[in-house]
Each structure stands twice: as C-alpha cells, then as structure tokens.
Amino acid sequence: MRFHILTFGCQMNVADADWLTQSLVSRGWTEAGESDAQVFVVTTCSVREKPEQKVYSLLGRLKSYADRSPDVFVAVGGCVAQQIGEEFWNRFPFVRLVFGTDGTAMVPQALERLANDPALRISLLDFLDHYPEREQPEGGTVQAQAFVNIMQGCDNFCAYCIVPFTRGRQKSRSSDAVVAECEALVRRGARELTLLGQNVNSYGQDKHGDGTSFASLLERISAIPGLMRLKFTTSHPKDIAPEVVTAFGKLPNLCPQLHLPVQSGSDAVLKAMGRKYTRARYLDTIRELRRVCPQITLTTDIIVGFPGETLQDFEDTLELMREVRYESSFSFKYSDRPGVRAEKMDFKVPEEEKSRRLAVLQEMQDRITVEELAAQVGSMAEVLVEGPSKMQDSEYIFWRGRDGGGRIVNFSSPIPCLTGRMVRVRIVDAKKHSLVGEIRGEPW
Ligand code: SAH
Ligand code: SF4
Ligand code: F3S
C-alpha cells in the first residue's frame, strides 16, 4: 500500500506523523507523493478557527483523488477528528477512519484492516485512562533529531483553549518507558531529543505518574551516553520547578533555550485566562533563568484581543516584551473555540482591533529579533545541521542548522553531506530571521 501523510498543528502531531510513517513502513507500506497515494492520513489541529478550516479545504482537494479511484481513502486524526468525530463520515464519505489522540497507537492495524475490507469504517475516538504505549521499531537508523512524547493531554483548562477537550486529561508515561525510548533513539543515531507534552513541567503529577518529577526525568535522559542535545516543549510558567530552572546551569547537553508562553503581560487578562501566575512571578522566573544560564534564548506565545483586553492591558503586554526581549514569538488573535469558557465571555474585541494589535506587536517582535540576531555577529556557535539551505550559491553548498539557542544558522561548505553533523561556525552576518556563519574546523 502507498500512503501519504499530511500534518497540521503542533509538534505533537508532527511526532505522531513520524511514528505512523515508521510503523507503516515497518509493515511493508511505502511513502508516496500525493498523486500516487492510495491512503491519505491527515493529522489535524483545532486550536484556532483558521487551522480547523484548513482541514475542510484539504478534504475538498482529496475528494478528487477519491472520486478517481474507489480504492483511495482517507484517515483523519488529531484534534479536529476528536472534536467533530464521526460527523466526518457524513460530510466526506471517503473518510473511513477517524482517530483521536489515544487512538493513534492502533492506527497501523486499523489501516491494514481498512485496506483489506472496502466496506469497513473505523472510529478510534475513545479516551483511555492510561497512556497507550506504541510499538517501537527496533532496528534501522533514525534522523539526528527526534521527538519523544512524555505525556498526553492537559488539565489546565485555560479559558480560551480547546486542547483539554481534544487531547483529554493529562496522562504521564512511565519514566522507564520514556528513558528506554530515548536510549533506543540515541543508539539508532539520534543526537538531539525533544521531549514533548502540552505541559511538560507537570510531568508525573497525575495519577499515572511513577514518582519521577520532570527535573529528575531531564537528569536521567541527559545522562544517556552519546546524546548531544536535549530540548523540551511546552512549559507552563506556573509549573516550572526551581530544579528545572537550575538544570539549565547544570546539565551540559540541555540546550540553552526555553519556550515559555506568557499569553499576556496584564494581570487582569492572565486572571481571566485562568493562567494562575502573575506578570511579576513570570518575570521572576525569567530573571532566575538568566541568572543560572546567561546565554539562554527565550521564546513565547501571545494572544492579543482576549475578551475584555483593554488598550492598557495590551500596552502591558508590549511593555513585558520590551523587558524580556524574546528572541522570537508566536502571536495570535484570540479565536473563539466551541465549548471553552472564553467563548461565553463578554466584551469581545472587534476583529479589526485584534488585527491592529497583532500588527503592532509583531512589528515590535521583528525589531527585537533583528537586534538580538545582530548581537550574535562575531561570536562562535556550534550548529547541528538540519539539511541543505534555501540559500544557494554556484560554488559551494549552503547548509542550514541551529545553534544551541535554537537560532537558524546558514553557512556554506564544500563538504557534500553534512545533514545530522555538528559544526563549529563563526557568525559573520545577521538576516531578519537567521544568522550566517563560516565553518571552522572539522564537522563531528
Ligand atoms: N500547551 C501549550 C500551548 C498549546 S496551544 C501551552 O500551554 O503553552 C499553542 C498556543 O496557541 C497557545 O500558547 C496560545 O497562545 C494559542 N492559542 C490557544 N488557544 C487559542 C485561541 N482560542 N485563540 C488564539 N490563540 C490560542
Ligand atoms: Fe491549552 Fe492552557 Fe493546556 Fe496549554 S496549558 S494546552 S494553553 S489549556
Ligand atoms: Fe492543535 Fe491539538 Fe496541537 S489543537 S496545537 S494539534 S494539541
């Protein structure tokens, strides 16, 4: 069978798609381009209205392949699948599998059954009361960068957010299972691991936890021989423990970067969002992080135009951005999601005003990003090469990678294959969103 996976949404969907690819390939299926595929798997996101709408337009496009051949079918997974469920079957008859977060582990078997029985439809939408472990491929090599799920779901119910409804309650994996998967990945060639969860800092603090805190998990994984880089995402500011902050000054392969979504710089808005921290506490955490790890790069998520956000609240967010000087940020206009608390809140901010605030904020971020990148010029950096760069030149091959802080670095080299290698570079120039380096010494 030939399959094609289309991925939307966060890194957890990317990780699910990677696992599905490996699992299907190990069953003898082959990855194919869109026009060649017999089975399409779509992993979806419903965090805002726009990504949700993308799914419907994509299914409109996939319909043309299904119309041409009765053997072509589609599986829809992820957060929109969990939200809309079997309704997909009524609107799009060529969708023969819908699966939610906890159903992912069963998808390869389900796809095999569907391929053998054209009359069948399968729904894997139930939430389970434990983390469903997935079969781990044994042999073969993996890419230098790999993701590892450490938990599923979220218990925070921030007022704007649909994730606790689409991903279910928080369920931590056992630390032994996580560490064993990390060890196997490093053995098979991974040099950088990113631990994933909606709220990794509360790892272990649910009834499935085995007594291991997130800080101890980081320590165990950091000690795996051969692991060069360790990262994690996403962190909730209310849950980041002092031991995790100090880990940035202690664990040599823990990358000096942290994505710490602030959402707003106004205490009134943070309270209405149900974020359970104040601006002052957030800034204390930032100060402490910079004390233990002065070179740490900080990134964030911000929502503008949350219901009731005044001009002063918005100014407070801008002021916080000036103070923290994030390396980069993801910013969004507040988007109503079905069934969340904020949907029923009064004083919705008009669309044009949300757009205006977003533009002001993004312009400020762009300026800070440019200044922060320019400050790197002249320094040395270790770069893990991710692949060929979009920048090209007739004589040399241009490569693209990231430094320890997560900044994109492009550099040229006559060496024909550097993907997955580490190189030392001197930063010679800064662009709008990336750095340019010159390679020094041998790759390793
Ligand atoms: N678990 C992560 C974030 C998950 S969603 C965390 O807690 O930080 C990713 C980002 O989408 C959020 O940080 C938030 O900034 C944004 N987001 C979530 N719901 C939204 C909504 N209804 N409207 C606009 N942005 C939203
Ligand atoms: Fe959503 Fe809040 Fe959970 Fe993040 S912590 S996934 S924003 S409910
Ligand atoms: Fe989107 Fe679901 Fe991730 S809503 S952001 S795919 S958890």
Side-chain angles (χ1 to χ4, degrees):
M1 291 293 287
R2 297 183 306 276
F3 68 96
H4 186 73
I5 302 189
L6 296 135
T7 308
F8 297 92
C10 62
Q11 281 172 317
M12 302 199 73
N13 275 1
V14 177
D16 286 354
D18 280 355
W19 176 80
L20 277 173
T21 303
Q22 287 193 37
S23 176
L24 289 172
V25 168
S26 76
R27 282 158 195 267
W29 290 37
T30 44
E31 256 189 295
E34 193 177 297
S35 52
D36 253 356
Q38 297 160 290
V39 178
F40 291 92
V41 183
V42 187
T43 59
T44 62
C45 173
S46 54
V47 79
R48 285 169 296 278
E49 200 182 337
K50 247 200 222 150
E52 188 183 336
Q53 290 309 327
K54 269 195 209 155
V55 178
Y56 302 117
S57 54
L58 172 70
L59 287 175
R61 189 170 97 220
L62 296 185
K63 181 176 183 300
S64 62
Y65 298 108
D67 284 347
R68 262 177 261 158
S69 160
D71 295 336
V72 170
F73 67 93
V74 176
V76 181
C79 291
V80 184
Q82 194 81 58
Q83 190 192 330
I84 309 288
E86 292 161 17
E87 180 60 28
F88 268 117
W89 291 344
N90 305 332
R91 288 184 58 186
F92 304 98
F94 52 91
V95 172
R96 292 177 51 211
L97 170 65
V98 285
F99 62 98
T101 319
D102 287 355
T104 309
M106 312 268 290
V107 168
Q109 292 91 328
L111 289 176
E112 279 180 337
R113 285 180 59 203
L114 290 163
N116 290 326
D117 181 354
L120 199 65
R121 278 175 171 177
I122 301 178
S123 156
L124 299 170
L125 293 169
D126 289 344
F127 284 122
L128 307 177
D129 71 348
H130 59 282
Y131 180 97
E133 283 297 328
R134 300 169 183 182
E135 59 188 26
Q136 298 299 333
E138 292 290 315
T141 55
V142 293
Q143 293 188 338
Q145 295 170 295
F147 294 114
V148 178
N149 274 345
I150 66 167
M151 64 209 297
Q152 203 73 272
C154 180
D155 287 344
N156 285 319
F157 291 93
C158 300
Y160 49 81
C161 187
I162 200 165
V163 171
F165 302 94
T166 58
R167 296 259 163 179
R169 291 297 68 69
Q170 178 176 314
K171 292 186 287 242
S172 298
R173 272 178 91 179
S174 85
S175 57
D176 288 344
V178 172
V179 173
E181 183 176 344
C182 292
E183 284 170 343
L185 285 165
V186 174
R187 239 188 346 261
R188 293 165 64 208
R191 309 180 106 188
E192 174 185 292
L193 295 177
T194 304
L195 309 181
L196 293 181
Q198 286 300 342
N199 188 5
V200 290
N201 285 279
S202 60
Y203 171 80
Q205 293 166 28
D206 49 78
K207 64 176 192 286
H208 311 278
D210 61 10
T212 308
S213 67
F214 183 56
S216 331
L217 185 72
L218 281 178
E219 252 176 68
R220 278 181 70 185
I221 297 171
S222 160
I224 296 174
L227 178 63
M228 291 181 177
R229 287 183 167 184
L230 178 58
K231 305 181 185 180
F232 57 85
T233 200
T234 302
S235 295
H236 193 305
K238 80 173 163 55
D239 293 315
I240 188 159
E243 295 77 16
V244 173
V245 174
T246 47
F248 281 102
K250 210 168 71 179
L251 305 178
N253 49 5
L254 182 63
C255 286
Q257 54 173 284
L258 183 65
H259 184 65
L260 198 59
V262 68
Q263 314 297 0
S264 168
S266 148
D267 279 341
V269 175
L270 288 173
K271 189 151 193 282
M273 287 176 165
R275 292 288 287 177
K276 302 191 179 73
Y277 54 85
T278 59
R279 170 196 179 97
R281 201 180 126 204
Y282 182 90
L283 289 172
D284 279 348
T285 306
I286 299 285
R287 224 165 285 131
E288 197 49 24
L289 281 161
R290 285 192 163 140
R291 193 183 63 77
V292 299
C293 181
Q295 76 278 28
I296 197 163
T297 58
L298 297 163
T299 55
T300 201
D301 291 347
I302 291 173
I303 297 176
V304 300
F306 185 78
E309 184 187 75
T310 62
L311 273 178
Q312 184 56 51
D313 293 325
F314 177 61
E315 277 300 321
D316 290 348
T317 300
L318 294 178
E319 185 51 40
L320 179 128
M321 289 190 56
R322 273 190 284 266
E323 193 167 336
V324 179
R325 293 182 64 81
Y326 296 103
E327 195 78 22
S328 65
S329 56
F330 296 102
S331 43
F332 315 100
K333 290 188 272 186
Y334 166 76
S335 162
D336 257 344
R337 301 283 64 214
V340 306
R341 274 184 293 136
E343 190 197 11
K344 288 165 212 77
M345 288 181 183
D346 295 330
F347 307 111
K348 296 271 162 72
V349 177
E351 196 56 34
E352 318 78 78
E353 179 57 13
K354 284 194 282 190
S355 301
R356 190 193 68 81
R357 292 182 195 180
L358 188 69
V360 170
L361 186 133
Q362 290 184 339
E363 196 195 315
M364 175 184 284
Q365 180 62 65
D366 285 348
R367 216 165 41 235
I368 297 174
T369 300
V370 164
E371 289 166 8
E372 291 298 311
L373 289 176
Q376 297 300 312
V377 174
S379 65
M380 296 297 295
E382 281 183 4
V383 173
L384 176 60
V385 183
E386 294 181 356
S389 155
K390 274 184 264 161
M391 279 167 74
Q392 285 309 338
D393 175 286
S394 51
E395 211 174 330
Y396 291 121
I397 309 166
F398 263 92
W399 296 95
R400 175 190 195 272
R402 283 176 197 269
D403 71 1
R407 303 177 191 93
I408 296 169
V409 182
N410 291 292
F411 63 95
S412 68
S413 163
I415 303 174
C417 189
L418 280 175
T419 304
R421 312 280 295 277
M422 294 281 279
V423 295
R424 202 180 308 283
V425 302
R426 203 179 108 84
I427 305 299
V428 293
D429 195 9
K431 307 268 181 217
K432 245 176 114 179
H433 297 287
S434 62
L435 298 168
V436 181
E438 274 175 8
I439 190 163
R440 293 291 154 93
E442 292 301 310
W444 68 97

